[in-house]
Amino acid sequence: MSDNAADPATEAFVAHRNLLFTVAYEMLGSAADAEDVLQETWLRWVKVDLEQVRDRRAYLVRITTRQALNRLRTMTRRRESYVGPWLPEPLLTSPDVAEDVELAESMSMALMLVLETLGPTERAVFVLREVFAVGYEEIAAAVGKSPAAVRQIAHRARRHVDARRPREAVSQSETRAVLESFRRALDTGDLQGLLDVLAPDVVMVGDGGGLKQAALRPVTGAEKVARYIIGGTGRVPSTVTADQTVVNGNPALVMRLDGELDGVLAVRVEGARITGLYYVRNPEKLTRVESETPLTR
């Protein structure tokens, strides 16, 4: 990248970098891949004749979307050989992300997993339309479809996501309170305390990526999940600590064994109970939970 601060291409890219990263991450669920997409976006952006560009922000989003779509198609194949369940890479986020309710919801582990069930083009259309409020014409240019087709795709994707997203919005303070009850039960090995905070049909998903131990299939049901958690912490001779943090704009726990980072536990809360537990232990996905990643819309 040029060091010349007066260079308009560099200025525009730097000005919108956090937005472009957020778009790429929402589409890919991986910070490492989002960074690669930004690099590819930059290489294309410097070849553009800026005199011909009416809206630099929109043009940059278009390039980023195309590069993210290309990568998403190859990642789908890569996921097929992934060991055990795949979860998005957790990002430590600043308070302003949590304050943007729509952005925080779209980045929650629960919704990111719903986005995984969309096809690449559907996901791109949904993210651009619902999260970033991009116009249909602009989305059409980014995904190579007609505006009419994009409208249909957006409608279909929204219906698909709405059917799978939490039925009721839960405030950050409610989530923190539920998470605190869970943490206390975890600290004391209180099986009944865990059962009280877990929904009967709770699902726990662990991502070790074959590098750390994790259940190779989701664990379902309060009794099974509670016993799995208590059994897991009971087997570990180390001191287990859980500290509340904000990951992907939502309350979560950072888990440490003898002070060493072990994983990030995100939750989905409905009706004052935990309906989803998402535990990322894969060390390759834990590089962004010690310092904040700036995200924006």
Side-chain angles (χ1 to χ4, degrees):
M1 238 181 268
S2 164
D3 291 327
N4 180 5
D7 171 22
T10 305
E11 275 185 358
F13 187 84
V14 170
H16 299 301
R17 190 189 188 286
N18 293 348
L19 165 71
L20 302 178
F21 178 87
T22 310
V23 169
Y25 174 77
E26 285 260 16
M27 282 181 61
L28 302 170
S30 159
D33 285 292
E35 290 289 0
D36 288 346
V37 162
L38 256 61
Q39 189 60 35
E40 289 157 8
T41 299
W42 166 253
L43 293 173
R44 281 158 180 76
W45 176 240
V46 289
K47 294 175 185 163
V48 171
D49 177 5
L50 294 190
E51 296 293 316
Q52 306 298 312
V53 177
R54 197 175 68 250
D55 181 341
R56 292 176 184 181
R57 179 184 186 272
Y59 201 97
L60 278 162
V61 168
R62 190 189 305 177
I63 301 175
T64 300
T65 300
R66 284 179 182 162
Q67 300 314 309
L69 262 176
N70 291 343
R71 189 157 288 251
L72 195 54
R73 290 181 181 121
T74 61
M75 283 172 78
T76 306
R77 292 193 290 276
R78 211 165 72 200
R79 301 261 170 85
E80 286 164 9
S81 58
Y82 195 81
V83 178
W86 182 95
L87 288 172
E89 183 177 350
L91 310 178
L92 184 69
T93 46
S94 59
D96 60 327
V97 176
E99 285 158 17
D100 183 340
V101 177
E102 285 178 358
L103 181 59
E105 194 219 354
S106 75
M107 300 195 70
S108 68
M109 283 279 173
L111 203 79
M112 292 283 277
L113 278 180
V114 174
L115 296 185
E116 284 294 309
T117 62
L118 294 170
T121 303
E122 279 185 318
R123 183 167 183 169
V125 169
F126 180 87
V127 164
L128 291 176
R129 184 68 195 156
E130 298 295 318
V131 183
F132 298 96
V134 176
Y136 291 113
E137 298 273 345
E138 194 52 52
I139 298 173
V143 301
K145 303 268 184 195
S146 71
V150 165
R151 279 179 189 274
Q152 283 187 313
I153 293 167
H155 179 69
R156 197 166 61 235
R158 192 183 309 120
R159 209 170 51 215
H160 178 93
V161 172
D162 284 347
R164 290 159 181 80
R165 71 184 352 149
R167 287 176 293 280
E168 54 183 273
V170 178
S171 72
Q172 300 258 338
S173 58
E174 285 174 276
T175 302
R176 276 193 296 273
V178 171
L179 206 50
E180 184 54 31
S181 299
F182 176 86
R183 193 185 69 79
R184 278 200 305 272
L186 193 65
D187 274 353
T188 54
D190 177 4
L191 181 65
Q192 188 54 50
L194 281 179
L195 290 171
D196 289 344
V197 80
L198 297 175
D201 57 350
V202 62
V203 177
M204 180 170 185
V205 182
D207 178 344
L211 301 172
K212 281 274 193 84
Q213 192 179 353
L216 291 175
R217 278 179 207 84
V219 181
T220 306
E223 186 83 27
K224 282 184 182 169
V225 168
R227 292 195 182 281
Y228 180 86
I229 292 168
I230 296 285
T233 52
R235 279 196 303 272
V236 178
S238 324
T239 304
V240 180
T241 55
D243 298 303
Q244 280 218 35
T245 186
V246 178
V247 165
N248 289 36
N250 294 270
L253 294 175
V254 170
M255 310 294 292
R256 289 186 168 85
L257 299 182
D258 289 338
E260 291 292 311
L261 179 63
D262 181 69
V264 167
L265 185 71
V267 295
R268 168 172 167 160
V269 174
E270 293 179 77
R273 287 195 166 192
I274 294 172
T275 57
L277 284 160
Y278 313 101
Y279 193 25
V280 181
R281 290 195 77 201
N282 181 346
E284 292 177 353
K285 293 185 178 182
L286 297 175
T287 61
R288 289 182 174 251
V289 294
E290 304 281 26
S291 59
E292 287 176 4
T293 298
L295 302 165
T296 189
R297 285 208 285 173

